Amino acid sequence: MKNNKIIFKFTAIEEVVCNHFGIEKGKLWNSKRIQNTAEARQVFYYISYYINDCVPHKKIAEYTGQTRPNAIRSVKKVSSLMDVDNHFETEVTLLYNYCKKHLKQV
């Protein structure tokens, strides 16, 4: 059963991801498919999903203004990339661990 409670705020996770990728906070949800922005957006979904104990994708999508299928696709894409790209896996794991350690729980 999935968790419905948000443990870490999406805004705080967004800030960490934007800082890491060098993206302005408002630009993360831009509909343009610029690779750096798209990757950052996907990493945000992945971290938000797993750090909040598998909160429903719909909650994350509501925050981002995107669709639920987009959230699901993003989480799967990051998981797949982590399976084949050790550098990317390390990068995402470091971001996840940073959020887990430094962000305040709700």
Short mmCIF file of all heavy atoms in Angstrom, two decimals, residues 27-33 41 44-45 57-74:
data_model
loop_
_atom_site.label_atom_id
_atom_site.label_comp_id
_atom_site.label_asym_id
_atom_site.label_seq_id
_atom_site.Cartn_x
_atom_site.Cartn_y
_atom_site.Cartn_z
N LYS A 27 12.02 27.49 -14.10
CA LYS A 27 12.26 26.90 -15.42
C LYS A 27 12.14 25.37 -15.41
O LYS A 27 12.06 24.75 -16.46
CB LYS A 27 13.66 27.26 -15.91
CG LYS A 27 13.92 28.74 -15.99
CD LYS A 27 13.62 29.27 -17.34
CE LYS A 27 13.92 30.76 -17.35
NZ LYS A 27 13.76 31.35 -18.60
N LEU A 28 12.10 24.75 -14.24
CA LEU A 28 12.05 23.30 -14.16
C LEU A 28 10.79 22.73 -14.79
O LEU A 28 10.80 21.66 -15.37
CB LEU A 28 12.17 22.84 -12.70
CG LEU A 28 12.41 21.36 -12.47
CD1 LEU A 28 13.70 20.89 -13.14
CD2 LEU A 28 12.47 21.06 -10.99
N TRP A 29 9.70 23.47 -14.71
CA TRP A 29 8.43 22.96 -15.23
C TRP A 29 8.10 23.52 -16.61
O TRP A 29 7.00 23.39 -17.11
CB TRP A 29 7.29 23.25 -14.24
CG TRP A 29 7.72 22.81 -12.89
CD1 TRP A 29 7.87 23.58 -11.77
CD2 TRP A 29 8.15 21.50 -12.51
NE1 TRP A 29 8.36 22.83 -10.74
CE2 TRP A 29 8.53 21.55 -11.16
CE3 TRP A 29 8.25 20.29 -13.18
CZ2 TRP A 29 9.00 20.44 -10.46
CZ3 TRP A 29 8.73 19.18 -12.49
CH2 TRP A 29 9.09 19.26 -11.16
N ASN A 30 9.08 24.14 -17.24
CA ASN A 30 8.97 24.63 -18.59
C ASN A 30 8.68 23.44 -19.52
O ASN A 30 9.24 22.38 -19.37
CB ASN A 30 10.31 25.28 -18.96
CG ASN A 30 10.29 25.97 -20.28
OD1 ASN A 30 9.58 25.56 -21.19
ND2 ASN A 30 11.08 27.01 -20.41
N SER A 31 7.79 23.62 -20.46
CA SER A 31 7.41 22.52 -21.34
C SER A 31 8.47 22.20 -22.40
O SER A 31 8.36 21.20 -23.09
CB SER A 31 6.08 22.84 -22.02
OG SER A 31 6.22 23.99 -22.82
N LYS A 32 9.49 23.03 -22.52
CA LYS A 32 10.54 22.76 -23.50
C LYS A 32 11.32 21.51 -23.07
O LYS A 32 11.52 21.25 -21.90
CB LYS A 32 11.49 23.95 -23.60
CG LYS A 32 10.84 25.16 -24.19
CD LYS A 32 11.81 26.30 -24.29
CE LYS A 32 11.10 27.53 -24.81
NZ LYS A 32 11.96 28.70 -24.81
N ARG A 33 11.77 20.77 -24.06
CA ARG A 33 12.49 19.53 -23.79
C ARG A 33 14.00 19.72 -23.89
O ARG A 33 14.68 18.98 -24.58
CB ARG A 33 12.03 18.44 -24.75
CG ARG A 33 10.62 18.03 -24.49
CD ARG A 33 10.28 16.84 -25.32
NE ARG A 33 8.91 16.44 -25.01
CZ ARG A 33 8.37 15.33 -25.42
NH1 ARG A 33 9.06 14.50 -26.16
NH2 ARG A 33 7.15 15.03 -25.10
N ARG A 41 14.10 17.48 -14.20
CA ARG A 41 12.68 17.24 -13.91
C ARG A 41 12.45 15.77 -13.56
O ARG A 41 11.78 15.43 -12.59
CB ARG A 41 11.85 17.67 -15.11
CG ARG A 41 10.39 17.76 -14.88
CD ARG A 41 9.63 18.46 -16.01
NE ARG A 41 10.11 18.21 -17.36
CZ ARG A 41 10.59 19.15 -18.18
NH1 ARG A 41 10.66 20.40 -17.80
NH2 ARG A 41 10.98 18.84 -19.40
N PHE A 44 13.87 15.01 -10.18
CA PHE A 44 12.96 15.53 -9.15
C PHE A 44 11.84 14.52 -8.87
O PHE A 44 11.54 14.22 -7.72
CB PHE A 44 12.34 16.87 -9.57
CG PHE A 44 11.18 17.27 -8.71
CD1 PHE A 44 11.39 17.91 -7.50
CD2 PHE A 44 9.88 16.96 -9.08
CE1 PHE A 44 10.32 18.25 -6.67
CE2 PHE A 44 8.81 17.29 -8.28
CZ PHE A 44 9.03 17.94 -7.07
N TYR A 45 11.21 14.01 -9.92
CA TYR A 45 10.14 13.03 -9.75
C TYR A 45 10.65 11.79 -9.01
O TYR A 45 9.99 11.29 -8.10
CB TYR A 45 9.57 12.59 -11.11
CG TYR A 45 8.57 13.54 -11.70
CD1 TYR A 45 8.82 14.15 -12.93
CD2 TYR A 45 7.37 13.82 -11.08
CE1 TYR A 45 7.90 15.01 -13.51
CE2 TYR A 45 6.44 14.68 -11.65
CZ TYR A 45 6.71 15.27 -12.86
OH TYR A 45 5.80 16.12 -13.42
N HIS A 57 2.00 8.97 -7.38
CA HIS A 57 2.49 9.83 -8.46
C HIS A 57 1.56 11.02 -8.66
O HIS A 57 2.00 12.10 -9.04
CB HIS A 57 2.60 9.04 -9.77
CG HIS A 57 3.66 8.00 -9.74
ND1 HIS A 57 3.39 6.68 -9.43
CD2 HIS A 57 4.99 8.06 -9.98
CE1 HIS A 57 4.51 5.98 -9.49
NE2 HIS A 57 5.49 6.79 -9.82
N LYS A 58 0.30 10.82 -8.43
CA LYS A 58 -0.69 11.88 -8.62
C LYS A 58 -0.37 13.10 -7.74
O LYS A 58 -0.51 14.24 -8.19
CB LYS A 58 -2.09 11.36 -8.31
CG LYS A 58 -3.17 12.37 -8.55
CD LYS A 58 -4.54 11.80 -8.26
CE LYS A 58 -5.61 12.87 -8.48
NZ LYS A 58 -6.93 12.39 -8.16
N LYS A 59 0.09 12.87 -6.51
CA LYS A 59 0.42 13.99 -5.62
C LYS A 59 1.59 14.79 -6.16
O LYS A 59 1.61 16.01 -6.09
CB LYS A 59 0.74 13.48 -4.22
CG LYS A 59 -0.48 13.16 -3.41
CD LYS A 59 -0.13 13.04 -1.95
CE LYS A 59 -1.36 12.68 -1.19
NZ LYS A 59 -1.75 13.67 -0.23
N ILE A 60 2.57 14.09 -6.69
CA ILE A 60 3.73 14.78 -7.25
C ILE A 60 3.31 15.55 -8.51
O ILE A 60 3.68 16.71 -8.69
CB ILE A 60 4.86 13.79 -7.59
CG1 ILE A 60 5.26 12.98 -6.35
CG2 ILE A 60 6.08 14.53 -8.14
CD1 ILE A 60 6.16 11.80 -6.64
N ALA A 61 2.51 14.91 -9.34
CA ALA A 61 2.03 15.56 -10.58
C ALA A 61 1.19 16.80 -10.26
O ALA A 61 1.29 17.81 -10.98
CB ALA A 61 1.24 14.57 -11.41
N GLU A 62 0.39 16.74 -9.22
CA GLU A 62 -0.41 17.92 -8.83
C GLU A 62 0.50 19.08 -8.47
O GLU A 62 0.23 20.23 -8.82
CB GLU A 62 -1.31 17.57 -7.65
CG GLU A 62 -2.49 16.71 -8.02
CD GLU A 62 -3.28 16.19 -6.81
OE1 GLU A 62 -2.89 16.47 -5.65
OE2 GLU A 62 -4.28 15.49 -7.04
N TYR A 63 1.60 18.80 -7.79
CA TYR A 63 2.54 19.85 -7.41
C TYR A 63 3.19 20.47 -8.65
O TYR A 63 3.35 21.68 -8.76
CB TYR A 63 3.63 19.32 -6.47
CG TYR A 63 4.75 20.30 -6.25
CD1 TYR A 63 4.58 21.37 -5.39
CD2 TYR A 63 5.95 20.18 -6.92
CE1 TYR A 63 5.59 22.30 -5.20
CE2 TYR A 63 6.97 21.09 -6.74
CZ TYR A 63 6.79 22.15 -5.88
OH TYR A 63 7.80 23.07 -5.71
N THR A 64 3.56 19.61 -9.60
CA THR A 64 4.31 20.09 -10.77
C THR A 64 3.43 20.66 -11.87
O THR A 64 3.92 21.32 -12.77
CB THR A 64 5.14 18.95 -11.37
OG1 THR A 64 4.25 17.94 -11.88
CG2 THR A 64 6.10 18.36 -10.38
N GLY A 65 2.14 20.35 -11.82
CA GLY A 65 1.26 20.79 -12.90
C GLY A 65 1.37 19.88 -14.12
O GLY A 65 0.89 20.21 -15.20
N GLN A 66 2.03 18.76 -13.96
CA GLN A 66 2.20 17.79 -15.04
C GLN A 66 1.15 16.68 -14.85
O GLN A 66 0.34 16.74 -13.93
CB GLN A 66 3.62 17.20 -15.00
CG GLN A 66 4.72 18.25 -15.04
CD GLN A 66 4.84 18.93 -16.38
OE1 GLN A 66 4.75 18.30 -17.42
NE2 GLN A 66 5.05 20.23 -16.36
N THR A 67 1.22 15.67 -15.67
CA THR A 67 0.25 14.57 -15.58
C THR A 67 0.83 13.41 -14.77
O THR A 67 2.06 13.26 -14.66
CB THR A 67 -0.12 14.05 -16.97
OG1 THR A 67 1.05 13.50 -17.59
CG2 THR A 67 -0.70 15.16 -17.84
N ARG A 68 -0.06 12.57 -14.26
CA ARG A 68 0.35 11.39 -13.51
C ARG A 68 1.20 10.45 -14.37
O ARG A 68 2.25 9.98 -13.92
CB ARG A 68 -0.89 10.68 -12.96
CG ARG A 68 -0.59 9.44 -12.17
CD ARG A 68 -1.90 8.81 -11.65
NE ARG A 68 -1.66 7.48 -11.19
CZ ARG A 68 -1.68 6.39 -11.94
NH1 ARG A 68 -1.95 6.48 -13.23
NH2 ARG A 68 -1.42 5.21 -11.42
N PRO A 69 0.79 10.17 -15.62
CA PRO A 69 1.63 9.31 -16.47
C PRO A 69 3.04 9.88 -16.68
O PRO A 69 4.01 9.14 -16.77
CB PRO A 69 0.87 9.22 -17.79
CG PRO A 69 -0.55 9.46 -17.41
CD PRO A 69 -0.49 10.47 -16.29
N ASN A 70 3.14 11.20 -16.74
CA ASN A 70 4.45 11.83 -16.88
C ASN A 70 5.31 11.55 -15.66
O ASN A 70 6.51 11.26 -15.78
CB ASN A 70 4.27 13.34 -17.09
CG ASN A 70 5.55 14.01 -17.54
OD1 ASN A 70 6.44 13.36 -18.05
ND2 ASN A 70 5.63 15.30 -17.34
N ALA A 71 4.71 11.61 -14.49
CA ALA A 71 5.44 11.32 -13.25
C ALA A 71 5.91 9.87 -13.24
O ALA A 71 7.06 9.57 -12.90
CB ALA A 71 4.57 11.62 -12.04
N ILE A 72 5.02 8.96 -13.62
CA ILE A 72 5.36 7.53 -13.65
C ILE A 72 6.50 7.28 -14.63
O ILE A 72 7.48 6.58 -14.31
CB ILE A 72 4.12 6.69 -14.01
CG1 ILE A 72 3.08 6.78 -12.90
CG2 ILE A 72 4.50 5.24 -14.29
CD1 ILE A 72 1.71 6.23 -13.29
N ARG A 73 6.38 7.84 -15.82
CA ARG A 73 7.40 7.67 -16.85
C ARG A 73 8.76 8.19 -16.39
O ARG A 73 9.79 7.56 -16.62
CB ARG A 73 6.96 8.42 -18.12
CG ARG A 73 7.13 7.68 -19.38
CD ARG A 73 6.69 8.42 -20.64
NE ARG A 73 6.08 9.73 -20.51
CZ ARG A 73 4.76 9.95 -20.50
NH1 ARG A 73 3.92 8.95 -20.58
NH2 ARG A 73 4.28 11.17 -20.39
N SER A 74 8.75 9.33 -15.72
CA SER A 74 10.00 9.93 -15.26
C SER A 74 10.70 9.06 -14.23
O SER A 74 11.91 8.87 -14.28
CB SER A 74 9.73 11.32 -14.67
OG SER A 74 9.31 12.20 -15.67
#
